[in-house]
Structure formats: C-alpha cells, structure tokens
Amino acid sequence: MCTRVYIKESLDELARSFAFAGQSALEGLVGRIPRYNGSPSQVYPIIIEDAALRTGIRAPVFAIAKWGLVSASRTPSDRRPPLVNVRCEKITTHGLAGPAYRSRRCLIPVNGFFQWKPISPHSRDRQPYAIAMKTDVLFALAGIWEVWRHPAGIDIRTFAVITCSSNEMMTTISSQMPLILHRRDYQRWLSPDSNPSDLMKPYSAELMTMWPIGRDVDNLKNTGPEIINPVDLRPHRHVNHRLR
C-alpha cells in the first residue's frame, strides 16, 4: 500500500526537475506545494501525455489530479470508494484500472513516501518510516488516471498509484511498495505502448534510503516540514546515581 507521500520542493523546483513537461497547469497549485503529509483525496501535480489544442501533437504536460481513481462512468448513486492503489500483478485484468493502464498512464512526482512497520506481530502499534532517494531528489511514482464528469458539469481528473513487490530494503517493513520509475523510462511509460509490463518491477534498493520518523505523521492536521525529521529508536539508558 502507498497512502502517504511528501513533496518538499517548490513548484519552481518541480518544474526544473521535470522540464520536459508543459507547465502551465502548475499555476493552479500555488499555495498547495510543498506538502509534507499528503494523503488520498487531495490534489497533486501529475504528468500525463496529452494532445495540444492547436496542433494535436501529443506531448508530456503537468496536470492537476485528485488522488483516488474514479470511473469515468461513475454515477451519484455509486458508493464505491475511489481506487487509491492497484497492484501491478492485477492491473491488466482490473475492471477499473485495466483500461486506464492501457492508455492513460502518468508520472507522480514526489520527494518521498511513508510506510508503517508493525511494532510486533500481535500489536496494532506501528512505527512510521519515511522513504526517499539517497540523493534526496524528486522522483516519479507510476500511476494511472481517468477523467470523471461531476454532476455539476465539471471534469475532475483522478489517479491511482501502482504498487509492486517490495525491494530488499522495503521488505523489512512492508511486502508492497509504490512502483518507482527510472528517468530513462518516463517516456516509455507515457507512450502509447499498451502494456509496458517490463517496467513494473521493484526499484533498486541501493539507490534508496529510509528512516524512522515521529508519530505526528499519523494526524493529517500535522503538515509542517518537521514531519520528515528522523527520530532515534534506540532505547534510552537510565543511569542511577548513588550517594556516597
């Protein structure tokens, strides 16, 4: 599962890091990025391949989308929750995700994501971790997107994050991790190729890092940069001072 992410860079840095994508949509995210405790139902910058209005030429562009994939044919009476994640092993046959995977894939730029490790097999208590690149740079999660027409006549773009089996580092806290793409594969992921299945594999653990963070991340009202500060999990040693 991947249900929390963070983007600590400014919109300007986001634009520089993904300079190959058209950037006019980023203006709509002023005041919303950086975001240190991002969750589903919020809006994010994603990168899709879209056709220019004047020329019809398809090219990568930034778009604003809400996290939680909703079917284009959704009706007001449909009470099914939006799709937040979809496993890569099931995506081609998934009723909602399958069509989007074949023709509407996207990049989701982030600085990192969060995962929770159970303290013990029989405990509900969990320790949160932040996961990022060792180089501390922006990277892209793989996703799929759809456009839903709201009853009010407004088109709302939604997306889901694709997950895969965990790499060697992530297996210590979870069996699944978000699918991360190498920069060399961005173009292919956005291309008309209907099934780039060879890209759906765990990212290299050697290029990633993770660290324990405080429990403030559990509360979505906590949104400051201190969210990603590391904490020391080593037990504190108590020293008894005896009077002589």
Side-chain angles (χ1 to χ4, degrees):
M1 294 286 287
C2 175
T3 58
R4 298 285 183 85
V5 299
Y6 71 90
I7 305 171
K8 68 176 185 177
E9 308 294 355
S10 66
L11 288 175
D12 287 342
E13 182 56 37
L14 196 66
R16 283 192 292 268
S17 296
F18 296 88
F20 60 87
Q23 299 167 8
S24 60
L26 290 178
E27 296 178 3
L29 289 166
V30 172
R32 300 186 182 190
I33 303 295
R35 179 179 291 151
Y36 287 90
N37 197 1
S39 67
S41 80
Q42 296 176 317
V43 296
Y44 296 83
I46 66 171
I47 297 172
I48 66 174
E49 192 173 72
D50 202 10
L53 292 176
R54 294 183 178 179
T55 64
I57 298 175
R58 299 185 65 82
V61 295
F62 274 99
I64 298 175
K66 186 177 181 180
W67 189 359
L69 192 74
V70 172
S71 170
S73 59
R74 183 185 180 97
T75 63
S77 61
D78 190 343
R79 300 300 180 187
R80 289 175 297 178
L83 185 66
V84 174
N85 295 150
V86 58
R87 296 179 64 157
C88 66
E89 302 90 344
K90 300 179 178 180
I91 196 168
T92 57
T93 57
H94 194 285
L96 173 58
Y101 166 69
R102 286 186 283 275
S103 61
R104 292 179 297 279
R105 296 184 297 271
C106 64
L107 307 175
I108 306 158
V110 298
N111 279 105
F113 56 95
F114 304 122
Q115 188 59 264
W116 282 256
K117 179 182 180 180
I119 299 299
S120 68
H122 305 291
S123 173
R124 293 185 178 182
D125 197 16
R126 301 184 302 166
Q127 171 60 49
Y129 284 78
I131 300 99
M133 293 294 131
K134 282 183 177 178
T135 51
D136 199 27
V137 297
L138 284 158
F139 58 96
L141 307 182
I144 53 176
W145 63 275
E146 184 62 90
V147 174
W148 169 58
R149 173 60 63 92
H150 190 277
I154 303 170
D155 286 339
I156 299 176
R157 183 176 279 106
T158 63
F159 74 93
V161 175
I162 299 174
T163 64
C164 63
S165 298
S166 288
N167 60 25
E168 295 87 345
M169 182 190 77
M170 286 290 299
T171 53
T172 61
I173 58 175
S174 176
S175 62
Q176 290 279 306
M177 66 180 288
L179 178 60
I180 301 171
L181 296 168
H182 290 274
R183 292 190 70 90
R184 63 177 179 267
D185 296 324
Y186 289 175
Q187 183 176 4
R188 170 105 182 279
W189 185 254
L190 296 176
S191 76
D193 185 345
S194 63
N195 187 19
S197 58
D198 57 301
L199 301 183
M200 294 193 292
K201 55 190 176 184
Y203 198 79
S204 303
E206 295 78 9
L207 302 177
M208 301 177 66
T209 185
M210 69 179 186
W211 62 95
I213 58 174
R215 303 299 177 87
D216 286 351
V217 71
D218 293 341
N219 189 336
L220 288 175
K221 293 182 180 179
N222 297 324
T223 59
E226 67 278 359
I227 287 286
I228 61 174
N229 288 347
V231 296
D232 188 353
L233 297 182
R234 292 175 299 180
H236 296 288
R237 302 177 66 179
H238 298 281
V239 179
N240 292 324
H241 296 280
R242 295 183 179 180
L243 293 177
R244 292 184 179 182

